[in-house]
């Protein structure tokens, strides 16, 4: 299964610390600059930006429009630098059982490209609860939240792998012949857009978070709609990973998603069926999330000061939404993140019927050694056409295992 992991920091977390974090300025441009370009890497639908941390370490952070605050997930970095910790927070994990710990640190300097953020307040997790490496296949050290870039006009060019920050004082909006313009609402530094989905017999109006920290296409909160019914051919699955656990729900397709001037058909959708633990005002009446599997079909410009968004479809716009056909969720492990491991096997799927188990180590797929396969490569092989035979060599508790199955449509 393709892992649609939104980085769910439970909402109470943001509400608890919002009033305690200082009003840091965020990124600044050199004098006289109207634009800064920041290259990024793109791993498994996550945007990764290299950041110089306190002028010492070059780290990788996820560029996340859906996170209000910047978070360091690797406490060893601040430990090595002997940075003092301020207030400590106890946070309920996303499994609503485990208590997690985060620390406030102050006066952190961050640099990426020519953008600099001085004396920034950030959060440091006591442990690496997210384990981003498993889902990206590369080392990740934290999240760049909107507190760093909300003062700018932000352009994300997925094709060129480039983020551009513009000084709004000198920014000229694009012409209507190249970009479509739409109004958004920025709430607690996060952008929201109105739209609707057609599922089963009903058209449902939604308020979507525009979330570059989400690798999924679309997530819908089923609790937000009184008469909501799941579409046919949905499967029970983990729809997200968060602080302390997985969030259970269902995966299927909606017949149509409409936002701005665009209609997308048969969109792979994660359906979250967990009841909210906070009042609706705290979620800003959010019905769902639009993530990178949709956003990467456009060049996007977020004009935070004017609450506008500009869309230009790219060559991926008309591609079909393709889902896994094996029932496997793969992650990476090992010191170099180059070992492919079975993280989960959905019941009643080709992989489950072939006798593949959680914890099996992938040695080869259809004759290609796992050492030659990235996480994305392996995932794409399991999304091939229905009817394709997959021959897979595994290691299980030190013993070699061979399995074979035929891909089929699951949703």
């Amino acid at each position: 299964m393709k892992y649609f992991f939104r980085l769910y920091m439970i909402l109470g977390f943001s509400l608890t610390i919002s009033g305690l974090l200082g009003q840091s300025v965020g990124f600044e441009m050199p004098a006289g600059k109207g634009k800064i370009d920041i290259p990024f890497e793109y791993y498994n639908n996550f945007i990764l930006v290299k950041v110089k941390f306190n002028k010492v370490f070059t780290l990788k952070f996820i560029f996340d429009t859906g996170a209000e605050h910047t978070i360091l997930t690797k406490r060893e970095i601040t430990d090595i630098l002997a940075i003092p910790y301020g207030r400590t927070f106890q946070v309920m994990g996303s499994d609503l059982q485990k208590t997690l710990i985060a620390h406030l640190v102050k006066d952190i300097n961050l640099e990426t490209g020519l953008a600099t953020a001085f004396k920034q307040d950030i959060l440091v997790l006591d442990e690496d609860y997210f384990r981003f490496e498993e889902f990206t296949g590369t080392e990740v050290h934290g999240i760049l939240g909107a507190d760093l870039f909300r003062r700018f006009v932000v352009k994300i060019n997925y094709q060129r792998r480039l983020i551009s920050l513009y000084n709004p004082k000198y920014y000229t909006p694009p012409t209507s012949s190249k970009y479509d313009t739409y109004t958004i609402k920025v709430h607690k530094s996060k952008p929201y857009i109105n739209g609707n989905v057609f599922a089963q017999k009903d058209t449902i109006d939604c308020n979507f978070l525009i979330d570059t920290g989400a690798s999924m296409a679309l997530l819908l909160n089923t609790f937000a709609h009184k008469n909501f019914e799941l579409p046919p051919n949905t499967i029970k699955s983990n729809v997200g990973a968060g602080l302390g656990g997985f969030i259970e729900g269902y995966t299927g397709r909606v017949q149509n998603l409409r936002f701005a001037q665009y209609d997308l058909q048969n969109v792979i959708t994660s359906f979250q069926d967990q009841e909210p633990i906070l009042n609706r005002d705290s979620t800003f009446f959010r019905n769902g999330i639009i993530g990178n599997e949709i956003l990467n079909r456009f060049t996007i410009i977020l004009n935070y000061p004017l609450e506008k968004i500009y869309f230009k479809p790219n060559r991926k716009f008309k591609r079909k939404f393709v889902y896994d056909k094996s029932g496997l969720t793969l992650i990476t492990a090992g010191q170099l993140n180059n070992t492919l491991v079975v993280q989960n096997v959905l019941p009643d799927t080709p992989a489950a019927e072939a006798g593949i188990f959680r914890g099996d180590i992938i040695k080869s797929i259809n004759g290609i050694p796992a050492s030659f396969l990235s996480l994305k490569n392996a995932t794409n092989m399991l999304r091939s056409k229905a009817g394709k035979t997959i021959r897979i060599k595994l290691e299980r508790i030190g013993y070699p295992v061979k399995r074979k199955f035929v891909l089929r449509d699951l949703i």
Side-chain angles (χ1 to χ4, degrees):
M1 176 180 58
K2 192 178 190 310
Y3 12 87
F4 299 151
F5 287 98
R6 167 69 189 111
L7 316 177
Y8 279 108
M9 291 161 292
I10 202 162
L11 289 173
F13 190 43
S14 295
L15 293 173
T16 301
I17 52 85
S18 290
L20 297 172
L21 285 173
Q23 295 300 310
S24 304
V25 174
F27 281 134
E28 298 182 66
M29 293 184 180
K33 277 281 185 182
K35 173 190 174 185
I36 290 177
D37 289 331
I38 303 170
F40 66 83
E41 300 171 5
Y42 199 58
Y43 284 91
N44 218 28
N45 287 336
F46 287 102
I47 296 174
L48 298 183
V49 175
K50 290 184 178 179
V51 177
K52 194 66 162 297
F53 189 89
N54 256 22
K55 301 185 181 296
V56 179
F57 294 113
T58 299
L59 308 178
K60 289 183 180 181
F61 281 74
I62 290 174
F63 186 85
D64 192 352
T65 59
E68 185 179 355
H69 303 294
T70 296
I71 296 175
L72 180 70
T73 59
K74 308 289 188 183
R75 178 177 170 166
E76 58 266 29
I77 300 297
T78 43
D79 285 345
I80 291 171
L81 296 176
I83 294 172
Y85 297 103
R87 179 160 181 175
T88 296
F89 303 91
Q90 290 190 344
V91 187
M92 183 68 72
S94 53
D95 57 3
L96 304 184
Q97 295 179 2
K98 185 177 180 180
T99 299
L100 313 175
I101 305 298
H103 308 278
L104 174 64
V105 297
K106 293 179 174 292
D107 298 331
I108 300 299
N109 296 327
L110 304 171
E111 303 170 61
T112 180
L114 295 177
T116 55
F118 299 106
K119 295 184 177 300
Q120 191 76 17
D121 291 357
I122 70 169
L123 297 166
V124 180
L125 300 185
D126 201 52
E127 299 177 28
D128 186 1
Y129 303 112
F130 285 123
R131 306 189 313 278
F132 292 135
E133 290 83 1
E134 295 182 358
F135 312 115
T136 62
T138 189
E139 194 168 27
V140 181
H141 302 90
I143 300 167
L144 287 185
D147 54 350
L148 288 173
F149 48 83
R150 63 191 172 195
R151 297 185 302 114
F152 298 99
V153 177
V154 180
K155 179 179 180 180
I156 306 172
N157 190 321
Y158 286 89
Q159 298 292 301
R160 295 182 60 198
R161 303 288 193 263
L162 195 68
I163 296 168
S164 299
L165 303 182
Y166 295 85
N167 186 329
K169 291 182 180 179
Y170 311 113
Y171 180 73
T172 301
T175 61
S176 58
S177 62
K178 291 187 176 181
Y179 285 82
D180 295 312
T181 305
Y182 201 79
T183 299
I184 59 174
K185 177 66 177 178
V186 178
H187 179 72
K188 296 188 175 179
S189 303
K190 294 180 286 189
Y192 294 82
I193 190 169
N194 291 325
N196 60 64
V197 295
F198 181 77
Q200 294 290 73
K201 302 176 181 179
D202 297 319
T203 297
I204 302 167
D205 293 328
C206 296
N207 188 32
F208 294 111
L209 173 65
I210 301 169
D211 194 350
T212 63
S215 66
M216 69 182 77
L218 182 67
L219 180 140
L220 291 178
N221 299 319
T222 59
F223 61 76
H225 310 285
K226 182 179 179 181
N227 299 318
F228 183 84
E229 294 183 15
L230 288 172
N233 301 322
T234 56
I235 57 175
K236 193 170 181 62
S237 62
N238 293 325
V239 299
L243 290 173
F246 290 98
I247 298 172
E248 292 188 353
Y250 299 87
T251 300
R253 294 179 186 267
V254 296
Q255 293 162 269
N256 181 269
L257 164 69
R258 180 171 180 81
F259 65 96
Q261 292 87 358
Y262 305 103
D263 287 283
L264 300 173
Q265 282 75 46
N266 295 316
V267 180
I268 295 171
T269 305
S270 300
F271 299 96
Q272 183 181 353
D273 60 358
Q274 183 181 28
E275 288 290 330
I277 63 170
L278 300 170
N279 61 61
R280 292 186 67 192
D281 179 66
S282 65
T283 64
F284 189 59
F285 300 96
R286 187 188 75 192
N287 306 87
I289 289 170
I290 294 176
N292 280 329
E293 186 64 28
I294 288 175
L295 299 177
N296 67 17
R297 295 161 185 255
F298 302 87
T299 296
I300 296 169
I301 303 174
L302 282 164
N303 192 329
Y304 283 89
L306 294 183
E307 295 191 314
K308 298 286 185 182
I309 189 169
Y310 313 98
F311 291 103
K312 182 172 74 171
N314 60 35
R315 64 175 183 266
K316 293 183 64 176
F317 177 71
K318 294 184 179 180
R319 289 186 183 179
K320 294 182 179 180
F321 292 91
V322 181
Y323 189 70
D324 165 73
K325 297 179 178 67
S326 69
L328 290 177
T329 300
L330 303 182
I331 60 174
T332 61
Q335 190 172 5
L336 299 177
N337 300 307
N338 58 357
T339 301
L340 292 173
V341 180
V342 176
Q343 192 273 336
N344 190 40
V345 185
L346 290 179
D348 303 319
T349 60
E353 292 159 2
I356 298 176
F357 300 140
R358 175 185 172 91
D360 285 347
I361 298 172
I362 307 294
K363 304 304 290 184
S364 71
I365 301 177
N366 282 359
I368 303 176
S371 57
F372 292 172
L373 293 172
S374 66
L375 183 60
K376 182 179 180 180
N377 294 151
T379 300
N380 285 341
M381 292 181 73
L382 301 177
R383 300 167 68 191
S384 301
K385 291 184 179 180
K388 181 180 179 63
T389 298
I390 299 293
R391 292 176 174 84
I392 191 164
K393 291 183 179 179
L394 310 162
E395 179 183 315
R396 182 179 298 161
I397 322 178
Y399 293 95
V401 176
K402 294 182 180 180
R403 292 290 184 264
K404 181 176 72 172
F405 55 84
V406 177
L407 299 178
R408 67 172 182 260
D409 290 324
L410 302 180
I411 60 172

